[in-house]
């Protein structure tokens, strides 16, 4: 534990200031549905959420909740939506990328309208990557729908997104589990949710899509370990048997999110000081 963390915790203990709780929802494509199960347990146990940051599918779930979508409606979407048809549209983009995820932005507009991030009930930040510079981009204002679209533009699969003067792609490249971002936003206690499993495969790839999926999973998992140090707790739902574009396991994913959170519920309550 750093000197800063020791001082911060000492001050909180002396003045008994309620801890500000932040959640970092990691990317994982279809596996992001597990975030809805995590939220269900947290909400039902009256654990406050003061800040939310998300990457890719984590940005999608986090944005909808920060906007004010009821957690049970969120679970219904996670379980029943045909995610692949919802977020993708076949479209040529300058002859390079065959798939656009503009459908995701339309999905967001349907559920949140033209809401701006700065107007949400819970402070929210979406993480993206600048295609031109390689920098991490924190989207904390402007169109909520556009921010989620940009944060979810998986390289090699979806077209980059023009937003606020930048060409953006999926934030998983630079920060797939943005615990550091939630900490910067002001959270005293950070819960990170990582839905990318550390899986060992038994079969060789059958096509280029599987190679891209695997490369993304490995890169996301490895760099996420660096950002764990900013979290007080990491929740990792069991999703080993579900691929990043296996859009048909919503029930199982939500259940695994619930199960993983229930296992650490007592620890969370104890550490933030609630019964």
């Amino acid at each position: 534990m750093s000197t800063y963390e020791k001082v911060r915790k000492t001050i909180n203990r002396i003045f008994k200031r309620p801890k500000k709780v932040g959640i970092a929802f990691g990317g994982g494509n279809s596996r992001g549905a597990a975030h809805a199960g995590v939220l269900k347990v947290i909400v039902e146990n009256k654990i406050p959420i003061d800040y939310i940051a998300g990457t890719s599918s984590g940005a999608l779930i986090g944005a909808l909740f920060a906007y004010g979508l009821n957690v049970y409606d969120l679970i219904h979407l996670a379980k029943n939506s045909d995610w692949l048809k919802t977020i993708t549209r076949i479209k040529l983009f300058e002859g390079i990328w065959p798939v656009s995820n503009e459908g995701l932005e339309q999905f967001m507009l349907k559920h949140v309208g033209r809401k701006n991030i700065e107007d949400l009930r819970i402070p929210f930040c979406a993480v993206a990557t600048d295609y031109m510079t390689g920098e991490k981009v924190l989207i904390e204002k402007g169109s909520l729908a556009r921010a989620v679209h940009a944060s979810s533009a998986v390289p090699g699969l979806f077209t980059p997104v023009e937003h606020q003067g930048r060409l953006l792609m999926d934030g998983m490249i630079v920060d797939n589990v943005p615990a550091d971002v939630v900490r910067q936003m002001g959270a005293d206690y950070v819960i990170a949710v990582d839905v990318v499993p550390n899986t060992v495969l038994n079969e060789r790839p059958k096509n280029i899509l599987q190679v891209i999926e695997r490369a993304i999973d490995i890169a996301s998992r490895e760099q996420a370990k660096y950002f764990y140090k900013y979290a007080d707790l990491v929740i990792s739902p069991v999703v080993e048997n579900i691929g990043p574009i296996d859009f048909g396991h919503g029930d199982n994913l939500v259940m695994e999110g619930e199960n993983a959170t229930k296992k650490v519920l007592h620890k969370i309550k104890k550490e933030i000081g609630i019964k």
Side-chain angles (χ1 to χ4, degrees):
M1 184 183 297
S2 68
T3 301
Y4 167 76
E5 290 297 311
K6 291 179 181 178
V7 171
R8 180 176 60 82
K9 290 188 176 184
T10 300
I11 291 174
N12 285 340
R13 185 171 61 253
I14 293 173
F15 292 98
K16 298 187 183 301
R17 180 171 67 87
K19 289 186 178 181
K20 296 291 185 180
V21 179
I23 303 184
F25 291 116
N29 295 297
S30 65
R31 294 172 300 214
H35 293 312
V38 173
L39 277 170
K40 179 176 181 290
V41 175
I42 287 175
V43 168
E44 289 180 343
N45 285 275
K46 298 180 173 56
I47 295 171
I49 302 175
D50 299 288
Y51 304 97
I52 295 174
T55 298
S56 199
S57 58
L60 170 62
I61 298 295
L64 290 171
F65 186 76
Y67 164 75
L69 193 68
N70 182 286
V71 70
Y72 303 104
D73 290 335
L74 190 57
I75 287 173
H76 177 76
L77 288 174
K79 286 184 175 182
N80 299 297
S81 287
D82 187 332
W83 292 91
L84 187 58
K85 290 182 180 178
T86 297
I87 67 174
T88 64
R89 293 178 179 175
I90 302 302
K91 176 183 176 182
L92 290 177
F93 183 78
E94 294 184 359
I96 302 173
W97 291 279
V99 181
S100 165
N101 67 338
E102 289 180 0
L104 175 56
E105 188 163 340
Q106 295 305 313
F107 174 83
M108 287 296 297
L109 288 170
K110 175 182 177 181
H111 291 283
V112 307
R114 299 193 177 279
K115 198 78 169 180
N116 286 330
I117 294 175
E118 53 266 42
D119 299 323
L120 300 180
R121 68 183 183 93
I122 299 174
F124 172 77
C125 178
V127 179
T129 304
D130 188 309
Y131 174 82
M132 304 304 292
T133 67
E135 296 174 316
K136 177 163 67 178
V137 178
L138 306 184
I139 310 176
E140 300 178 277
K141 61 181 180 180
S143 168
L144 180 62
R146 195 68 171 174
V148 171
H149 183 187
S151 180
S152 306
V154 181
L157 298 180
F158 299 130
T159 63
V161 178
E162 294 277 0
H163 184 55
Q164 296 179 347
R166 289 182 156 185
L167 186 62
L168 302 177
M169 54 186 179
D170 203 304
M172 65 179 180
I173 303 168
V174 290
D175 194 349
N176 195 52
V177 185
D180 60 318
V181 177
V182 179
R183 184 74 72 188
Q184 291 170 18
M185 293 171 74
D188 301 305
Y189 189 83
V190 176
I191 301 170
V193 188
D194 190 352
V195 294
V196 177
N198 189 19
T199 306
V200 176
L201 301 183
N202 296 316
E203 296 182 1
R204 296 172 68 86
K206 296 181 175 64
N207 53 58
I208 188 62
L209 182 58
Q210 289 183 347
V211 175
I212 294 173
E213 289 177 5
R214 183 59 173 165
I216 289 171
D217 269 1
I218 293 171
S220 298
R221 187 71 185 181
E222 288 304 307
Q223 53 94 342
K225 295 175 183 177
Y226 171 81
F227 295 101
Y228 281 1
K229 66 183 180 182
Y230 295 99
D232 295 282
L233 179 75
V234 178
I235 298 175
S236 299
V238 179
V239 295
E240 277 82 359
N241 298 319
I242 300 175
I245 59 170
D246 288 344
F247 294 86
H249 302 277
D251 286 301
N252 288 337
L253 287 163
V254 170
M255 180 181 68
E256 292 298 346
E258 290 183 51
N259 291 340
T261 309
K262 288 176 181 177
K263 290 178 181 179
V264 296
L265 185 59
H266 176 73
K267 178 179 173 64
I268 295 173
K269 288 184 174 182
K270 180 181 178 180
E271 293 185 347
I272 66 175
I274 67 171
K275 295 182 179 181

